[in-house]
Amino acid sequence: MEPEELRRMLSKDAEISEPSGNKLMEATIASVGDLVRIVEREHTGSFQYRGQRCSDQELLPTLTRPGFPAAAALAKGELLRHKEEHILNEFRTRFVAYGRDAPEDELRLAILAQHHGVPARLLDWTLNPLAALYFAVKDSDMWKDKGRCSKCGKEDCTPVV
């Protein structure tokens, strides 16, 4: 799609650019309607979306992100597999204390643990672009008062879907 055509499709405030070196087009949207129009027009078929507060943040699961417990353990030479196993066993033990049985299947256990905020090897994806948009902007007001992004430390960081 040409930038001019995309501009017409979006609101008058949308900014369109073509990143150098690839065939992708980026669109800075000004409203939820802009995102809906892009999805309705361009995304035929099945797509998965992910929303992030920080466009500079790498696609890393919480288990391996800098600043999380596993990152420190990995720096000391501990294997990721062992660290994850320890975290999931600890979660299973605590989960049972609430009167519920933890899943025996390791993947289901990791999904449940991640849902409860435990660092996991999984990345959340969705088939719903509006859900991704929600997660991209849900805490954006929280760091604007401080003037810097809590993830990358930049002043001009933007959410991304």
Side-chain angles (χ1 to χ4, degrees), residues 54 147-157:
C54 179
R148 295 192 176 276
C149 174
S150 61
K151 292 286 184 186
C152 71
K154 289 185 176 181
E155 291 181 12
D156 60 347
C157 184

Side-chain angles (χ1 to χ4, degrees), residues 74-147:
L74 295 174
K76 294 177 186 174
E78 188 175 344
L79 295 176
L80 178 62
R81 179 79 191 113
H82 293 139
K83 185 63 178 176
E84 179 187 42
E85 189 177 305
H86 173 75
I87 289 171
L88 290 178
N89 284 336
E90 182 72 22
F91 176 76
R92 179 181 280 122
T93 302
R94 292 179 185 214
F95 192 74
V96 172
Y98 288 98
R100 295 182 55 196
D101 291 332
E104 291 299 319
D105 176 78
E106 190 175 305
L107 179 59
R108 290 177 198 269
L109 182 65
I111 292 169
L112 182 63
Q114 182 175 356
H115 177 74
H116 287 278
V118 174
R121 62 182 148 144
L122 308 171
L123 279 174
D124 288 322
W125 294 86
T126 180
L127 298 175
N128 184 339
L130 297 177
L133 179 62
Y134 168 78
F135 286 104
V137 300
K138 76 174 186 159
D139 294 326
S140 61
D141 290 340
M142 189 171 76
W143 60 265
K144 282 187 179 177
D145 294 337
K146 298 175 187 171

Side-chain angles (χ1 to χ4, degrees), residues 26-43:
E26 293 181 2
T28 302
I29 63 171
S31 69
V32 174
D34 288 345
L35 177 63
V36 170
R37 282 189 286 281
I38 290 170
V39 170
E40 285 178 342
R41 180 159 179 174
E42 296 301 317
H43 295 180

Side-chain angles (χ1 to χ4, degrees), residues 2-54:
E2 296 299 315
E4 298 308 316
E5 186 180 355
L6 187 56
R7 272 193 195 90
R8 283 192 299 275
M9 185 175 73
L10 298 173
S11 70
K12 62 182 179 230
D13 297 328
E15 295 178 27
I16 311 299
S17 65
E18 292 182 59
S20 59
N22 64 38
K23 297 179 183 180
L24 298 177
M25 182 174 294
E26 293 181 2
T28 302
I29 63 171
S31 69
V32 174
D34 288 345
L35 177 63
V36 170
R37 282 189 286 281
I38 290 170
V39 170
E40 285 178 342
R41 180 159 179 174
E42 296 301 317
H43 295 180
T44 56
S46 178
F47 285 85
Q48 294 180 353
Y49 301 89
R50 176 167 172 79
Q52 292 192 168
R53 282 189 293 172
C54 179

